[in-house]
Amino acid sequence: MKNIRYFFFATLILAFSCSKDTMISDMDNEMDDKYNVNIGSYNLLQSSIDAMPYLGKKSIVFVDSSANEMVFVINESPILEGNVTLFTYNVYQAGDIVNYHYSRQYKTFLISNDSSGLEFICSLESTPYYTEPQKKFVADVFNVIIKNPNDQNSFRQVFYHITNQRTWPITTNTPPISEKIILNRTFQDVLIDDFTNPLSIVHFNYEFGIISFTDFDGKLWRFERME
């Protein structure tokens, strides 16, 4: 099973405070520097933002094999900034935890259809290279997660793609399918992830966004138009 490589939700930075009666030794300060590391701020490239197919759009229409339509509303957020802490284990010695603090930009598109209960959260984020965060590599990463119908407070990742590798030393992108026919319509440069037992099987390209998905009953829906 493919590991979930990135979560949309920011991890809150923990703030540790001391009372006035607490004495902090030089050794404690050294430990704070060693185990709490600021790796900087990461902004999205404008070219990555411009690649998003949902910019300025209000709705998407999908169709099934019988030409029934399902309309999704698009709610676009502005570009936002947030602080995140990446917890990394076994950095200096077995069992230790280093907190890498950073800020990043992100832009989200909430794509939802109330009657079906389907809600996709599409997020473009400036993301450090988690394997070696201290090197301050960055990429612009696009994720799609879906709300779990059995638990309204939980979400599952269904798609991941590195929109721009930037300074990451490697990319985990699956090569695009040059041409794919979905419900009698041909799409180019189709991207698909290989998650095991996903809540929805999502196909994507940068021309139309989500070009197909399966609903919670396993029915296939194909992109028809965007408005």
Side-chain angles (χ1 to χ4, degrees):
M1 179 178 179
K2 178 178 289 185
N3 292 327
I4 295 180
R5 292 158 294 190
Y6 189 73
F7 292 98
F8 163 71
F9 298 103
T11 304
L12 295 178
I13 291 180
L14 300 177
F16 297 96
S17 61
C18 299
S19 68
K20 293 181 180 179
D21 297 327
T22 301
M23 298 296 293
I24 303 176
S25 67
D26 290 340
M27 181 177 293
D28 289 333
N29 285 328
E30 290 174 2
M31 292 294 286
D32 286 343
D33 291 339
K34 185 175 181 179
Y35 291 98
N36 290 279
V37 181
N38 189 320
I39 57 173
S41 298
Y42 303 91
N43 293 333
L44 289 167
L45 293 178
Q46 186 60 47
S47 59
S48 297
I49 298 168
D50 293 341
M52 294 296 99
Y54 302 123
L55 291 170
K57 303 298 185 181
K58 301 300 181 184
S59 65
I60 311 173
V61 179
F62 291 90
V63 295
D64 65 9
S65 58
S66 300
N68 298 308
E69 292 190 349
M70 180 159 49
V71 181
F72 283 72
V73 175
I74 303 173
N75 287 302
E76 177 182 345
S77 80
I79 299 169
L80 300 173
E81 296 184 1
N83 295 321
V84 182
T85 296
L86 172 64
F87 303 97
T88 304
Y89 299 91
N90 307 319
V91 175
Y92 303 114
Q93 59 188 9
D96 70 3
I97 302 174
V98 175
N99 305 316
Y100 291 102
H101 307 288
Y102 67 95
S103 66
R104 54 75 168 108
Q105 287 187 330
Y106 60 97
K107 184 175 180 63
T108 60
F109 303 86
L110 176 62
I111 300 172
S112 59
N113 176 275
D114 290 340
S115 62
S116 68
L118 285 161
E119 185 172 292
F120 295 95
I121 299 175
C122 303
S123 172
L124 177 70
E125 305 185 30
S126 50
T127 307
Y129 187 60
Y130 290 154
T131 304
E132 299 176 285
Q134 72 279 5
K135 291 189 176 180
K136 302 183 180 181
F137 298 138
V138 61
D140 292 340
V141 176
F142 182 77
N143 280 276
V144 180
I145 63 173
I146 189 171
K147 182 179 286 188
N148 190 332
N150 300 315
D151 183 353
Q152 293 300 299
N153 294 316
S154 71
F155 297 80
R156 292 275 295 277
Q157 187 181 30
V158 293
F159 182 79
Y160 170 99
H161 191 259
I162 299 171
T163 301
N164 191 314
Q165 185 178 342
R166 298 179 66 176
T167 59
W168 275 22
I170 62 171
T171 176
T172 55
N173 283 344
T174 301
I177 301 169
S178 59
E179 189 172 275
K180 186 174 180 62
I181 299 173
I182 304 173
L183 296 181
N184 300 316
R185 180 170 175 177
T186 302
F187 296 90
Q188 281 75 41
D189 299 322
V190 177
L191 300 167
I192 185 171
D193 244 314
D194 57 353
F195 295 108
T196 301
N197 298 321
L199 285 177
S200 175
I201 298 173
V202 170
H203 288 58
F204 181 92
N205 71 12
Y206 282 96
E207 182 178 4
F208 302 116
I210 296 173
I211 55 176
S212 72
F213 68 90
T214 54
D215 63 21
F216 298 135
D217 295 321
K219 179 189 286 189
L220 178 64
W221 293 85
R222 187 256 293 159
F223 174 89
E224 177 68 9
R225 63 185 182 275
M226 195 143 43
E227 300 172 345

